[in-house]
């Protein structure tokens, strides 16, 4: 628990409309904790096809990486690397982010096990390209590289730039380009950061999931999304059901699956189980869902038994509080 004297009074921010809202610090913590919960839940079912397993209802660990209960995979590790970079640099520094991703890949920096667990091909290739060239925007632009590896870690951008949604949009794109340079992956990050910012400000779910939501009205008309992401922003996740909803590594499918779970649930835990029980890329679907749902449900997420079981809990809390203080000019 942070020093309460650092956290009051709550700030008031303008998010691009006439509405003024306050952001409780608990939403910051729940956003990152939610990602870790979803990742840890999903690792049990990672790579398992729908219909080949009994739906899970609790943290079990195990899975292909034989993790302990509460341990999580590359999704949360990279999210923490990004959060750490934003805190230490007091803002966006792509070079520093790649250096931390390199430490994670090579030495297990901020891993739940203390060692390397797994990563997608696109991420490995980007980090290795960075090592060879020093180019911080190392993400492949090929369409076949439109995976979900930049979306799974994007929440710290929303937390750090919650006061300025347009700047958050720019840095969401830049954050993706460090490992995923395809426009579809970039736009998935841009859209989702806007949703997380809205959730942090306590907007109702109906408003968040309205067609083409962004904290700045009519923003996507001026800064369009790629067709694959625009379809999701228009509400495709409301119309489809499994097996059309698939938790695959291709980022539009993972994004759609996470939003489907968020739309069809009324609690963090119900939605998280919907997300991970889709199987396939279950840990990443859970982590993506958990970022938004944690921000939305806030303190109730932190009261779940799952929240006390996640690995590196103290580190996750510390980073979330520091990001909160960063937006107040106190870091």
């Amino acid at each position: 628990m942070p020093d309460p004297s650092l956290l009051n009074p709550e700030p008031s921010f303008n998010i691009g409309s006439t509405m003024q809202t306050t952001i409780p610090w608990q939403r910051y913590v729940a956003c990152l904790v939610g990602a870790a919960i979803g990742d840890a839940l999903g690792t049990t079912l990672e790579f398992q096809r729908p219909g080949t397993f009994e739906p899970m209802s609790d943290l079990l660990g195990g899975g292909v990486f034989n993790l302990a209960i509460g341990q999580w995979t590359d999704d949360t590790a990279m999210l923490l690397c990004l959060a750490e970079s934003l805190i230490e640099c007091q803002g966006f520094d792509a070079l520093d982010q790649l250096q931390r991703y390199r430490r994670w890949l090579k030495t297990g920096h901020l891993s739940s096990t203390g060692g390397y667990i797994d990563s997608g091909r696109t991420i490995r290739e980007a980090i290795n390209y960075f090592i060879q060239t020093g180019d911080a925007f190392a993400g492949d632009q090929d369409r076949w590289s439109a995976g979900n590896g930049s979306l799974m870690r994007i929440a710290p951008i929303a937390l750090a730039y919650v006061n300025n949604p347009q700047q958050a949009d720019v840095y969401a794109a830049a954050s993706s380009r460090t490992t995923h340079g395809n426009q579809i992956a970039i736009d998935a990050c841009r859209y989702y950061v806007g949703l997380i910012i809205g959730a942090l400000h306590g907007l109702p779910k109906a408003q968040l999931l309205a067609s083409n939501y962004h904290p700045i009205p009519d923003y996507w008309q001026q800064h369009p999304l790629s067709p694959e992401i625009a379809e999701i922003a228009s509400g495709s996740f409301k119309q489809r059901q499994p097996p059309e909803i698939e938790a695959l590594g291709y980022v539009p499918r993972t994004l759609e699956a996470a939003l489907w779970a968020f739309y069809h649930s009324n609690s963090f835990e119900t939605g998280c189980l919907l997300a991970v029980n889709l199987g396939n890329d279950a840990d990443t679907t859970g982590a993506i869902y958990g970022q938004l749902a944690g921000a939305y449900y806030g303190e109730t997420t932190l009261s779940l038994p799952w929240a006390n079981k996640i690995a590196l809990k103290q580190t996750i809390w510390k980073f979330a509080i520091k990001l909160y203080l960063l937006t107040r000019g106190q870091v």
Side-chain angles (χ1 to χ4, degrees):
M1 178 71 69
D3 180 353
S5 68
L6 296 176
L7 301 172
N8 290 300
E10 301 292 355
S12 181
F13 300 134
N14 188 330
I15 60 170
S17 69
T18 58
M19 181 175 62
Q20 297 282 332
T21 62
T22 59
I23 304 177
W25 62 265
Q26 290 91 338
R27 290 188 187 273
Y28 268 63
V29 179
C31 180
L32 300 191
V33 168
I37 291 173
D39 189 354
L41 275 169
T43 190
T44 306
L45 299 176
E46 188 171 3
F47 305 134
Q48 296 192 42
R49 290 179 290 108
T52 66
F53 56 85
E54 288 293 324
M56 59 185 295
S57 59
D58 202 357
L59 278 173
L60 300 176
V64 294
F65 305 118
N66 194 30
L67 298 181
I69 292 173
Q71 288 182 330
W72 27 260
T73 69
D74 55 316
D75 307 60
T76 306
M78 294 194 76
L79 176 148
L80 293 178
C81 286
L82 176 55
E84 183 183 53
S85 177
L86 290 164
I87 293 162
E88 294 297 324
C89 298
Q90 297 200 18
F92 191 93
D93 186 322
L95 180 63
D96 184 78
Q97 290 164 33
L98 259 297
Q99 290 169 340
R100 294 176 197 274
Y101 297 156
R102 175 186 180 178
R103 288 176 61 195
W104 156 73
L105 183 69
K106 302 302 182 181
T107 68
H109 179 59
L110 292 173
S111 164
S112 68
T113 64
Y116 172 76
I117 297 174
D118 184 40
S119 68
R121 173 190 57 82
T122 302
I123 286 174
R124 289 195 304 274
E125 291 180 353
I127 294 173
N128 287 328
Y129 180 78
F130 165 71
I131 292 170
Q132 295 166 12
T133 67
D135 184 356
F137 294 105
D140 195 333
Q141 298 180 31
D142 187 273
R143 184 181 179 87
W144 295 107
S145 298
N148 54 29
S150 56
L151 182 62
M152 71 188 189
R153 64 173 191 255
I154 201 63
I157 297 293
L159 298 181
Y161 296 100
V162 68
N163 299 346
N164 190 331
Q166 187 162 10
Q167 196 172 38
D169 182 66
V170 171
Y171 286 132
S175 174
S176 182
R177 288 190 181 100
T178 61
T179 57
H180 292 70
N182 181 273
Q183 194 63 45
I184 299 170
I186 291 167
D187 286 350
C189 292
R190 294 175 60 221
Y191 173 59
Y192 212 58
V193 158
L195 292 184
I196 295 172
I197 288 175
L200 289 167
H201 283 280
L203 296 188
K205 190 177 290 191
Q207 186 173 349
L208 279 177
L209 299 183
S211 181
N212 298 308
Y213 170 78
H214 187 273
I216 300 173
D218 302 320
Y219 189 78
W220 300 129
Q221 294 181 16
Q222 303 299 319
H223 308 275
L225 297 167
S226 55
E228 294 86 348
I229 305 304
E231 180 187 23
I232 297 169
S234 296
S236 65
F237 54 90
K238 299 178 183 179
Q239 311 301 325
R240 296 171 179 163
Q241 293 289 340
E244 280 189 285
I245 296 292
E246 298 180 280
L248 302 178
Y250 182 48
V251 69
R253 299 288 72 79
T254 328
L255 172 61
E256 188 177 52
L259 289 175
W260 169 83
F262 185 60
Y263 176 71
H264 286 285
S265 57
N266 56 16
S267 68
F268 180 93
E269 57 268 42
T270 301
C272 203
L273 291 171
L274 283 177
V276 302
N277 280 316
L278 290 169
N280 286 322
D281 203 357
D283 62 328
T284 301
T285 309
I288 293 169
Y289 164 86
Q291 295 174 71
L292 176 61
Y296 178 79
Y297 292 110
E299 192 167 6
T300 62
T301 304
L302 303 179
S303 67
L304 295 173
W306 293 339
N308 289 320
K309 296 179 181 179
I310 59 170
L312 273 63
K313 174 187 171 183
Q314 295 301 321
T315 299
I316 295 170
W317 274 67
K318 179 180 71 174
F319 284 0
I321 293 300
K322 285 189 174 183
L323 285 168
Y324 177 84
L325 296 175
L326 183 66
T327 66
R328 298 164 60 92
Q330 297 181 17
V331 172

